[in-house]
Amino acid sequence: MRAPFQNHSPTSCEAARLIAPHLSRMEVEILNLITEAQAAGGDGLTDDELIIAFGSQSARPRRIFLVACGKVVDSGITRKTRAGRKAVVWRLA
């Protein structure tokens, strides 16, 4: 697995190559899920949506790590969770 990147951007490709050794397989998968959601025209994913797509509660700690690394940011948008509560939508930095 590798970190997601924009094929048309040499700097994006280089950044993905440089960050890859520092990411676990799970972190790369979380980045890929957010990338796919955005590529499909979405704003990103909430933690609840990440947990569903990833299939594990461990998605949230991995997302928190990615925020700390500056790879994922708050989109400024919220969406309701399965429980009906507002949740931050996370997007790529």
Side-chain angles (χ1 to χ4, degrees), residues 65-80:
F65 175 79
L66 292 168
V67 169
C69 291
K71 296 296 173 192
V72 173
V73 296
D74 182 334
S75 68
I77 299 167
T78 60
R79 235 184 338 256
K80 288 194 176 184

Side-chain angles (χ1 to χ4, degrees), residues 8-46:
H8 67 276
S9 171
T11 55
S12 178
C13 295
E14 178 67 5
R17 185 185 69 74
L18 292 173
I19 194 65
H22 305 285
L23 298 175
S24 74
R25 180 191 61 76
M26 288 190 293
E27 287 145 3
V28 170
E29 191 169 340
I30 296 300
L31 283 172
N32 284 330
L33 289 169
I34 295 170
T35 299
E36 290 167 11
Q38 287 184 242
D43 301 311
L45 295 171
T46 65

Side-chain angles (χ1 to χ4, degrees), residues 43-65:
D43 301 311
L45 295 171
T46 65
D47 283 343
D48 192 47
E49 293 164 341
L50 277 169
I51 289 165
I52 292 166
F54 190 65
S56 168
Q57 292 285 337
S58 62
R60 186 171 182 275
R62 303 285 46 93
R63 192 270 308 152
I64 290 169
F65 175 79

